[in-house]
Amino acid sequence: MNRRRSLLALGAVGATACGYYAWHERRGLTRADFGAEDAGVPGSPAISPAVRAILEYALLAPSGHNTQPWTVRGTDGELRIGTERSHWLPKVDPSNRELALSVGAFLENLLIAAPGLGYAADFTVTGADASDRELLLVRLTG
């Protein structure tokens, strides 16, 4: 087998594996799994379409080992950004340094997206270190 055929075969195997992984990880999910407001849960805060769009842009942020460790709670005017302990990586990131960088990338995407959708965004660091459950308070005005 020549080099070109070997590379094509390896590429096909890789594409198949990636496709299977993407399918396997997302099977059985419904729209209700992505947010309480979509599920019609009584008492859940309504988030406007503009703030939802800002969060969708923020979610595109890279994260260490693609763990996406951030959590967001709040309403249109105030978002509390924290971390999900089950997404921490104590073996490869014992000091949560990469986790803090990941949340910072999420915040940066949020701060960039907000003005494009008619909001001014300001944030306050509320956590003492990267091990706290809640790290940031973001205020959106607009």
Side-chain angles (χ1 to χ4, degrees), residues 6-137:
S6 298
L7 290 174
L8 285 172
L10 284 173
V13 168
T16 303
C18 288
Y20 173 76
Y21 174 77
W23 169 81
H24 178 72
E25 287 296 309
R26 288 161 182 81
R27 67 190 163 122
L29 292 177
T30 64
R31 183 158 179 84
D33 294 329
F34 290 103
E37 61 275 359
D38 290 339
V41 175
S44 63
I47 295 178
S48 71
V51 172
R52 180 174 285 272
I54 291 170
L55 290 173
E56 287 174 0
Y57 282 116
L59 289 172
L60 297 175
S63 61
H65 298 277
N66 201 26
T67 57
Q68 300 175 346
W70 44 75
T71 60
V72 179
R73 294 180 297 120
T75 60
D76 278 352
E78 197 172 88
L79 301 172
R80 297 184 179 278
I81 300 173
T83 62
E84 175 61 43
R85 191 173 297 274
S86 65
H87 291 217
W88 292 10
L89 301 171
K91 298 287 186 194
V92 296
D93 188 21
S95 64
N96 283 339
R97 178 184 177 276
E98 289 185 34
L99 178 128
L101 292 171
S102 299
V103 172
F106 177 87
L107 175 65
E108 185 67 20
N109 275 11
L110 191 147
L111 295 174
I112 291 169
L117 292 162
Y119 283 86
D122 186 32
F123 72 94
T124 304
V125 177
T126 57
D129 62 24
S131 296
D132 288 345
R133 295 291 295 244
E134 185 179 300
L135 300 173
L136 302 163
L137 173 64

